[in-house]
Amino acid sequence: MSDTVADNLARVRERVAKACASAGRPESSVTLVAVSKLKPASLIREAYAAGQRDFGENYAQELRDKAVELQDLDGLRWHAIGALQTNKVKYVARVAHAFHALERWEVAAELSKRREGVAPLPCYVELNLGQEDTKHGLAPEALGDFLTRVRALPNLQPVGLMALPPPTDDVARMREGFARLRELARAHALPSLSMGTTHDFEQAILEGATVVRVGTAIFGERA
């Protein structure tokens, strides 16, 4: 018999708890975001029934559609975690609990404009630590000026940093990338860190992650 979403979720939570214990942190200091992109709403309902409340979506229109389909689930929190085009901002601004991939001023300005009438949108600024051509994100040296501009917007609240460090199986290199993000957040007075995925979230927690984004370990491989 194959494992259920609830089974997988329980195992991930246990791993989060152990990593927090190793780091000398309370489990409550880490928010687990279940990354549900390209997965059916039925699996989100299964995770919700098992107590999960935070879900991550990469694509704005998929987020829009799932938010409508699952609006009966009280307390569900949507995290927009993928790169965003200005013409799709309206979908995120309306329903997102947080945005994890802020990297462009045009998107920031449009989000603030579209967010009017509700609480400011918590945002994580995405950095490209390895300066990889295939990844989104600001260069670290551009962070200060960008934050100054974003902090002046009325309806956004920059709360932290996000990054996907260069992939590696070397634990020391993993932790080095996460530690660098932590120090950048500290230098810019940002309290939160969105870092760590199925492959490396335990190492991210050891280096201070406050949000981990886990998809495959909960929902299985994507088609």
Side-chain angles (χ1 to χ4, degrees):
M1 181 177 174
S2 60
D3 291 334
T4 66
V5 167
D7 293 332
N8 293 340
L9 193 54
R11 276 193 291 271
V12 169
R13 286 175 177 153
E14 184 177 353
R15 290 168 61 189
V16 168
K18 286 181 178 178
C20 287
S22 295
R25 301 170 55 191
E27 189 177 349
S28 60
S29 68
V30 175
T31 296
L32 171 63
V33 173
V35 179
S36 47
K37 70 173 181 179
L38 304 179
K39 292 295 182 178
S42 59
L43 292 187
I44 297 175
R45 289 187 181 276
E46 286 185 38
Y48 181 93
Q52 181 64 23
R53 291 296 179 269
D54 293 274
F55 293 88
E57 291 288 337
N58 282 61
Y59 307 116
Q61 285 161 296
E62 185 177 0
L63 170 59
R64 173 200 64 190
D65 295 345
K66 284 178 175 174
V68 171
E69 187 173 356
L70 298 168
Q71 60 186 317
D72 59 301
L73 299 183
D74 187 48
L76 186 153
R77 293 179 290 270
W78 292 111
H79 296 250
I81 62 175
L84 191 57
Q85 299 171 330
T86 50
N87 64 339
K88 305 287 178 61
V89 160
K90 57 190 175 184
Y91 306 134
V92 168
R94 287 171 188 162
V95 302
H97 171 75
F99 177 47
H100 292 245
L102 186 63
E103 57 159 348
R104 293 171 51 214
W105 168 250
E106 295 82 3
V107 168
E110 189 69 11
L111 273 171
S112 182
K113 174 183 172 183
R114 297 275 187 173
R115 188 70 176 184
E116 287 185 350
V118 292
L121 179 65
C123 292
Y124 296 80
V125 178
E126 182 173 9
L127 297 185
N128 188 342
L129 295 179
Q131 300 294 283
E132 298 170 89
D133 293 338
T134 57
K135 287 184 180 173
H136 294 275
L138 289 175
E141 56 269 23
L143 177 59
D145 289 343
F146 185 73
L147 277 173
T148 297
R149 297 180 75 188
V150 172
R151 282 170 168 152
L153 292 170
N155 299 312
L156 296 190
Q157 182 185 12
V159 295
L161 298 180
M162 186 276 265
L164 288 166
T168 178
D169 291 321
D170 184 327
V171 171
R173 286 187 62 201
M174 267 183 211
R175 293 189 61 171
E176 183 181 320
F178 294 139
R180 186 178 178 208
L181 196 69
R182 181 191 67 229
E183 295 308 314
L184 283 165
R186 185 175 294 165
H188 291 277
L190 294 167
S192 301
L193 287 166
S194 175
M195 60 188 194
T197 61
T198 289
H199 179 60
D200 53 17
F201 70 83
E202 285 134 320
Q203 304 307 322
I205 289 171
L206 292 173
E207 293 297 342
T210 59
V211 179
V212 293
R213 308 176 307 274
V214 180
T216 302
I218 295 172
F219 295 111
E221 296 288 346
R222 294 180 190 91

